[in-house]
Amino acid sequence: MQRHSGPLRAGDSVLFIDRKSRRYLRTLRAGAKISVHDGTVASDSLIGRPDGSRITSSVNEIFLVLRPSYAELVLHLPREAQVIYPKDAAAILVWGDVFPGATVVEAGVGPGALTIALLRAVGDEARVVSYEGREEHSEAARRNVARFFGEAPNWTVKLADVYAAIDEPDVDRIVLDVPEPWRALEAGARSLVPGGILVGYVPTVLQVKSFVDALHAHPGFGAISTFETLQRFWYVREMSIRPEHRMVAHTGFLTVARRLAPAGV
Ligand SMILES: C[S@@+](CC[C@H](N)C(=O)[O-])C[C@H]1O[C@@H](n2cnc3c(N)ncnc32)[C@H](O)[C@@H]1O
C-alpha cells in the first residue's frame, strides 16, 4: 500500500489547492514539470518536502500541496462510471462491518473507488475480489488502484457477471453496486458465511423495493435495513456561518442484510 505520511516522494499523487480552495490532482514525477492552473511547478522542488508544504508556481500563484485523503481522492478519481461517494463508502465500511482480515466480494468495480476503501479497510492479510462486467471498467479500476493505492497482491478483478455466480466460498462481506442487486441474491447466499453481511447500493426507490422484496422472500437472508446518508457542508468564515448553498442532495440508498444459518442448525 502507498505511504500516506512522511515527505513527498516521486510517484505520489498530490492535490494543489489554490487560494480559492480549487483543487487540482497531479502526480509528482522526478525531473518533470507539472502544469497547474495557469503556471507550472517543478516536481523536484516538492519531492522531499513535507506534506502540507506551500509552493509558488511560475506565474507567482501560491498553492498548498497535500497528499489527498481518501475522501478527497475519490472526488478527483479518473472515471467513466459513477463512483460511490465518500459518505456512502464510509457507511458501507461501518454498517457492512468490513473488518481487517475479512474476505470481501464486490460488484461492479467501476473506477475502483470503493475497491480502494475496501483494500484499505481489510489490510494485507485479507482478500478482496471484484466482479466487473465490462473490460474497460476493470482496466480503469486496475489503473486507479495501481496509481492511488499501490500494489495489491490480495486483490483479484474478475471479468464476470455477478448475477451468474460468485465463485468464492466462505465470504464474510459482499457489496453490490450493480443495477439489479436482487439478481445476485442466489449467488450471494451460496457464497456468504452464516452471519455474513450483504450490502446493496442503489440510486432509486424502485430498485430499493425490488431488492428488499427479494431479500424478504429469500429464506437465506434476514435483519434487513435500508437507509440513506445526507451530508451538508457548512461555510464558516468570521461572522458568516451557514450551510453551503449547494449540496449533493442525493446519491443512493443502502440496504444491509445478514446471511442466516440454514433452518434447524
Ligand atoms: C456504478 S459502477 C460501480 C462503481 C464502484 N462501486 C465505485 O465506487 O467506483 C457499476 C459497475 O457495475 C458494473 N456492472 C453492472 N452489472 C454488472 C454485473 N451483472 N456483473 C458485474 N458488473 C456489473 C458496470 O459495468 C459498472 O462498472
Side-chain angles (χ1 to χ4, degrees):
M1 195 167 99
Q2 273 185 5
R3 270 203 351 220
H4 295 282
S5 61
L8 299 175
R9 296 180 312 165
D12 280 350
S13 294
V14 291
L15 278 177
F16 287 79
I17 306 175
D18 70 13
R19 65 185 173 83
K20 290 186 176 168
S21 297
R22 289 177 298 208
R23 284 145 198 257
Y24 308 86
L25 185 66
R26 300 287 186 268
T27 301
L28 300 180
R29 300 194 195 288
K33 274 196 173 148
I34 297 171
S35 296
V36 55
H37 201 208
D38 292 331
T40 58
V41 168
S43 282
D44 292 349
S45 60
L46 281 166
I47 292 168
R49 298 216 5 219
D51 200 355
S53 292
R54 283 179 184 75
I55 190 103
T56 305
S57 77
S58 58
V59 293
N60 276 331
E61 195 173 359
I62 295 172
F63 292 93
L64 172 60
V65 183
L66 284 166
R67 286 195 186 95
S69 66
Y70 173 80
E72 291 167 325
L73 170 67
V74 164
L75 301 178
H76 292 85
L77 206 63
R79 68 185 71 169
E80 285 177 19
Q82 185 56 261
V83 292
I84 288 185
Y85 265 61
K87 71 180 179 72
D88 296 312
I92 288 169
L93 294 182
V94 173
W95 289 95
D97 195 38
V98 178
F99 59 90
T103 298
V104 181
V105 166
E106 68 155 347
V109 73
L114 186 70
T115 312
I116 294 173
L118 293 172
L119 286 167
R120 287 170 59 140
V122 299
D124 295 341
E125 304 302 316
R127 195 163 169 227
V128 175
V129 180
S130 303
Y131 283 71
E132 173 54 52
R134 290 175 60 174
E135 189 164 12
E136 68 274 26
H137 289 181
S138 66
E139 288 310 314
R142 278 185 219 279
R143 283 194 299 277
N144 280 340
V145 169
R147 182 169 161 203
F148 300 111
F149 177 82
E151 275 183 40
N154 55 337
W155 178 49
T156 310
V157 191
K158 288 189 169 176
L159 192 57
D161 179 359
V162 76
Y163 303 150
I166 294 175
D167 302 326
E168 293 66 34
D170 301 326
V171 167
D172 298 302
R173 308 291 184 249
I174 295 179
V175 184
L176 298 173
D177 178 11
V178 289
E180 298 176 298
W182 52 94
R183 293 179 59 194
L185 283 193
E186 275 311 322
R190 274 195 294 276
S191 168
L192 273 175
V193 295
I197 299 181
L198 175 74
V199 182
Y201 171 90
V202 288
T204 73
V205 168
L206 293 183
Q207 288 167 299
V208 172
K209 171 147 176 64
S210 298
F211 188 36
V212 173
D213 282 353
L215 282 165
H216 281 300
H218 196 296
F221 290 99
I224 302 157
S225 59
T226 296
F227 61 93
E228 64 177 324
T229 63
L230 304 177
Q231 184 180 35
R232 188 167 69 160
F233 286 92
W234 281 58
Y235 180 88
V236 182
R237 294 276 189 290
E238 297 172 359
M239 297 306 285
S240 174
I241 301 179
R242 54 163 174 77
E244 293 280 2
H245 293 308
R246 294 190 179 86
M247 71 182 278
V248 177
H250 175 66
T251 53
F253 303 99
L254 288 167
T255 295
V256 181
R258 301 298 294 265
R259 176 69 171 105
L260 304 181
V265 176

